[in-house]
């Protein structure tokens, strides 16, 4: 049997160090934060070999008194917390008194410091946890810490370090986060004697974003500001065209601290819903300021996760502010020529590009929406509803039953198409695209994507006031499903009922389909139920109800919309085009694909040398 014993102090230190010091970047983060807490205006960071050989951080902050130096590398020694209650109103980046002890335990470190009000300073060294005596030191006010040979005494940890370039990348990231969180600091970063960044205190957030992420990002940012109670949200969000394949460019700061937060990340993505393809991520830089007692930062060893007192309110704030800001912008996919972004998420345009050099000129900024000024008649002219579209003017269920064709549900939705005055000329190409002359330029519409968007919004509006129309089955239809799938579907019975999809448990994995959404017209009801079940089981964790409804609406809109390959009549084309300006976001289908692309009049003139 093994006996119980208390661990020796050097082992304890190494264990603790494992939590906070994972690699050179962790050291840089802790030292930078200490300098900020010391009130520094300027911080210089020098590293060698990705920080493995050397990390030196010099600041002009308040410095440390010589008498305090023996404690600097001691565990749980801090000047930032006095009593337990302080933990719930933390105004500094550090507070655990753990970082320097950890660093001193796994490297050869030295610290030199002088408070501004004192004529001389002092220095102390710490090698693998062993402290030297304190000696006088003559240097400028502030603090200077050198960390050499990280993990020299923990070979296993050292083996986990990556190539110099990778470690440098991590250091740069930490540096970037701090520079964004504290935009008045003068900061420099040097690697192996070469300048990487030199950021004057005068360069504000926007300049910094340009320095770190390039002009491409900087030029397509929308500033944002919102307040909710004592909470202030500020920052920049990027045009959806700047989307990325991962969430790394979603920067979130809380009271000057970079953090990671799944819930707020989700709020951000939700706000971009419909503007991004599935699996693509928005770019955003968001700064939250809130009273220290509204957020608990003491939940993670490196403090990169926090707990909000009212997480839901924060989620709402981020979602609403971002969503609102995006809606202010006209986000029509732009035909960017050459070779740049063709449309969000797409490569340079197939089809519209011709001989090399043909589209050789720079991007032309978008003008407004082709139909932006027309929606005033939206509620009139019921009788004009797309004559050829098979729509009945009966506002009851009958109208919906046929709505799968163009024109959509009529009457109550206030979405009757109003063909704009005669100058709208549209033709169908390849039974898939509509090409349209507008005052701004030549508009190419994806017929399926646009119709899907129109139906989606109609359904959504409808759902807000009522359930969707449903068609009762004369004879309920049994649908056999694997038991687990049947259970999943039955769990969501109420949500499905709101969508007009009625199901009942028949036992043994069989589900009885009693009614189906009228909008689906002649689609076989089984098909839609199976599509819905596929959706439900694809989720490993059930999303919130609003999202289930949203996704299912988009699924139904997709099934009900005209397809690529459907030949449309002139009236159907007119109807589809006319409804375009009645939808909230005519630019993207519910999955985030663009519905239309604009080749501007100016661009045409320029290409044909008419200017
Ligand atoms: P914490 O930051 O959690 O207090 P640290 O181990 O990072 O713990 O630092 C311990 C203490 O050393 C700090 O509380 C602070 O008093 C002092 N200190 C560390 N770095 C600096 C610095 N750059 N300037 C002034 N004081 C510092
Ligand atoms: Mg600290």
């Amino acid at each position: 049997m093994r006996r119980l014993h208390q661990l020796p102090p050097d082992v304890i230190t190494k264990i603790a160090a494992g939590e906070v010091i994972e690699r050179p970047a962790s050291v840089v983060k802790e030292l930078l934060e200490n300098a900020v807490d010391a009130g520094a205006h300027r911080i210089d960071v020098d590293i060698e070999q990705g920080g493995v050989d050397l990390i030196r951080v010099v600041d002009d902050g308040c410095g440390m008194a010589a008498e305090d130096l023996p404690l600097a590398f001691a565990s749980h020694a801090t000047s930032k917390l006095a009593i337990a209650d302080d933990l719930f109103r933390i105004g500094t980046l550090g507070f655990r008194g753990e970082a320097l002890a950890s660093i001193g335990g796994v490297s050869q470190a030295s610290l030199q410091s002088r408070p501004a009000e004192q004529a001389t300073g002092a220095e102390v060294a710490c090698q693998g946890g062993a402290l030297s005596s304190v000696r006088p030191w003559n240097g400028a006010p502030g603090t200077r810490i050198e960390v050499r040979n990280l993990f020299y005494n923990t070979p296993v940890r050292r083996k986990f370090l990556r190539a110099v370039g990778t470690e440098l990348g991590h250091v740069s990231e930490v540096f970037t986060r701090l520079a964004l969180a504290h935009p008045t600091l003068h900061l420099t970063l040097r690697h192996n004697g070469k300048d990487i960044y030199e950021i004057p205190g005068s360069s504000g957030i926007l300049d910094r974003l340009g320095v770190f992420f390039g002009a491409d990002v900087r030029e397509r940012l929308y500033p944002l500001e919102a307040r909710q109670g004592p909470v202030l949200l500020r920052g920049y969000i990027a045009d959806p065209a700047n989307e990325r394949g991962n969430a790394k460019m979603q920067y979130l700061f809380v009271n000057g601290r970079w953090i990671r937060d799944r819930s707020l990340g989700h709020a951000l993505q939700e706000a971009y819903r419909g503007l991004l393809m599935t699996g693509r991520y928005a770019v955003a830089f968001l700064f939250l300021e809130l009273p220290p007692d509204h957020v608990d930062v003491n939940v993670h060893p490196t403090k990169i996760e926090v707990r909000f007192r009212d997480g839901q309110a924060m989620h709402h704030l981020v979602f609403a502010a971002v969503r609102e800001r995006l809606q202010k912008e006209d986000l029509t996919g732009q035909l960017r020529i050459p070779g740049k972004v063709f449309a969000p998420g797409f490569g340079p345009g197939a089809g519209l590009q011709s001989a090399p050099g043909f589209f050789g000129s720079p991007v032309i900024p978008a003008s407004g929406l082709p139909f932006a000024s027309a929606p005033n008649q939206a509620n009139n002219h019921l009788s004009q509803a797309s004559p050829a579209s098979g729509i009945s003017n009966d506002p009851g269920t009958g109208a919906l039953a046929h709505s799968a064709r163009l024109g959509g549900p009529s009457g109550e939705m206030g979405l009757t198409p109003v063909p704009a005055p005669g100058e709208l000329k549209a033709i169908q190409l390849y039974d898939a695209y509509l090409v349209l002359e507008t005052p701004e330029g030549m508009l190419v519409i994806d017929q399926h994507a646009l119709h899907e968007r129109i139906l989606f919004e109609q359904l959504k509006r409808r759902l807000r006031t009522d359930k969707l129309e449903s068609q009762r089955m004369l004879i309920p239809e049994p649908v056999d499903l694997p038991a687990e799938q049947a259970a999943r579907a039955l769990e969501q019975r109420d949500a499905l009922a709101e969508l007009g999809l009625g199901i009942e448990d028949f036992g043994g994995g069989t589900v009885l389909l009693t009614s189906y959404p009228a909008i689906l017209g002649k689609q076989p009801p089984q098909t839609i139920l199976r599509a819905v079940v596929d959706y439900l089981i694809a989720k490993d964790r059930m999303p919130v109800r609003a999202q289930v409804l949203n996704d299912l609406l988009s699924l139904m809109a997709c099934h009900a919309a005209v397809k690529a390959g459907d030949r449309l009549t002139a009236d159907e084309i007119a109807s589809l085009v006319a409804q375009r300006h009645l939808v909230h976001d005519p630019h993207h289908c519910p999955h985030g694909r663009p519905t239309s692309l604009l080749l501007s009049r100016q661009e045409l003139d320029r290409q044909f040398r008419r200017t």
Side-chain angles (χ1 to χ4, degrees), residues 34-35 37-38 59 62-64 72 77-80 94-101 143 145:
N34 281 344
D37 283 345
D59 71 58
C62 66
M64 300 173 72
T78 178
S79 55
K80 301 168 193 175
F95 55 84
R96 290 178 205 266
E98 198 69 72
L100 286 188
T143 302
I145 298 185

Side-chain angles (χ1 to χ4, degrees), residues 295-356:
V295 54
D296 186 356
V297 289
N298 190 25
V299 295
H300 190 279
T302 61
K303 307 166 210 127
I304 58 174
E305 276 165 28
V306 302
R307 202 178 293 128
F308 295 106
R309 198 200 265 180
D310 188 349
Q312 241 175 337
M314 304 303 288
H315 185 280
H316 177 78
L317 174 63
V318 168
F319 171 78
V322 173
R323 188 80 196 163
E324 212 166 276
R325 189 64 188 84
L326 287 169
Q327 277 167 355
K328 277 200 205 144
E329 298 300 320
D330 174 14
L331 301 172
T332 313
Q334 283 293 293
L335 222 47
R336 295 191 157 235
I337 309 162
K340 268 261 167 141
V341 183
F342 181 72
F346 287 80
L352 270 153
Q353 222 134 350
S354 112

